[in-house]
Amino acid sequence: MPPILECNNLTKIYDKHVTALNGLNVKIPQGRIVGLLGPNGSGKTTFIKICTGLLMPTAGEVLIQGKPVGRETKSMVSYLPEQTYLQTHMTVQSMLKLFSDFYQDFDPERAKTMLTDLNISLKSSLNKMSKGTREKMQLILVMSRRAPLYILDEPIGGVDPAARDYILHTVIGNYQRESTILLSTHLITDVEPVLDDVIMLKSGEVVMAGTAADIRSR
């Protein structure tokens, strides 16, 4: 089975002085939960932004389902950025409509089920939610798409431990088993139990990669 995501000699240099990624070669298989791990400044977000088409690499390439990152691959990736991008004046109902209009693979019934689990009303507006609830709301929208690849950038970085448990439960319980989740975080202890595979970055290079079981045994 071909990889869902593959990068070859991926390099990103900012302003000719700062090397964020240095010749990455990575293959991510289908149907796995993959941790993109490493300290802050290791290149995780740069890697994700190139995979989602938000940044251009200095050299190398990224392929998603065998296709170069571009217009065609945007429909294959459901992306959760580190920063909330939703408009605070919007209600939950209007956010569901926005995603339904924008993404053909969005499943509003799946979203409503997760909203019910959290006791979030469709009439609630984002500006009246706590930070943790806003984080959950955005994750619900992302995970309610039926995409081949989910890319989650620090989904648990800014929330309390109880919210982290719910977010990780949502990640595990609400994605298609043939899909892949690439989950970026520096909070390794929290996500380690749910990972199938690990890619660990340091200073823009892969320092460790393999199955979580193998890395645990090492």
Side-chain angles (χ1 to χ4, degrees), residues 33 110 113-118 136 139-140 143-144 152 155-156 159-177 181 183 190-195:
I33 299 177
R110 177 190 283 188
T113 297
M114 288 188 274
L115 290 166
T116 299
D117 290 342
L118 281 175
K136 294 173 189 175
L139 183 68
I140 286 170
M143 298 306 297
S144 293
L152 314 178
I156 60 173
V159 297
D160 60 78
R164 289 176 193 170
D165 289 343
Y166 177 81
I167 287 172
L168 291 174
H169 173 77
T170 300
V171 167
I172 298 303
N174 293 281
Y175 85 104
Q176 303 175 101
R177 296 302 171 181
I181 294 177
L183 190 160
D190 293 276
V191 303
E192 183 268 336
V194 307
L195 300 179

Side-chain angles (χ1 to χ4, degrees), residues 11-61:
T11 300
K12 180 63 178 178
I13 301 172
Y14 292 105
D15 299 325
K16 299 183 181 179
H17 299 295
V18 179
T19 300
L21 298 175
N22 187 17
L24 261 62
N25 293 290
V26 170
K27 291 184 179 181
I28 296 178
Q30 298 180 33
R32 309 285 281 178
I33 299 177
V34 182
L36 182 65
L37 310 181
N40 291 330
S42 60
K44 301 189 302 298
T45 295
T46 296
F47 176 69
I48 283 174
K49 286 185 175 180
I50 292 174
C51 293
T52 54
L54 297 175
L55 280 178
M56 293 294 292
T58 305
E61 65 174 357

Side-chain angles (χ1 to χ4, degrees), residues 80-92:
L80 178 75
E82 187 175 5
Q83 301 295 326
T84 300
Y85 59 85
L86 299 171
Q87 298 295 314
T88 57
H89 68 274
M90 295 181 72
T91 65
V92 173

Side-chain angles (χ1 to χ4, degrees), residues 90-93 95 119-126 129:
M90 295 181 72
T91 65
V92 173
Q93 182 73 68
M95 285 185 272
N119 288 322
I120 297 177
S121 169
L122 293 175
K123 297 179 180 179
S124 299
S125 60
L126 206 67
M129 295 179 185

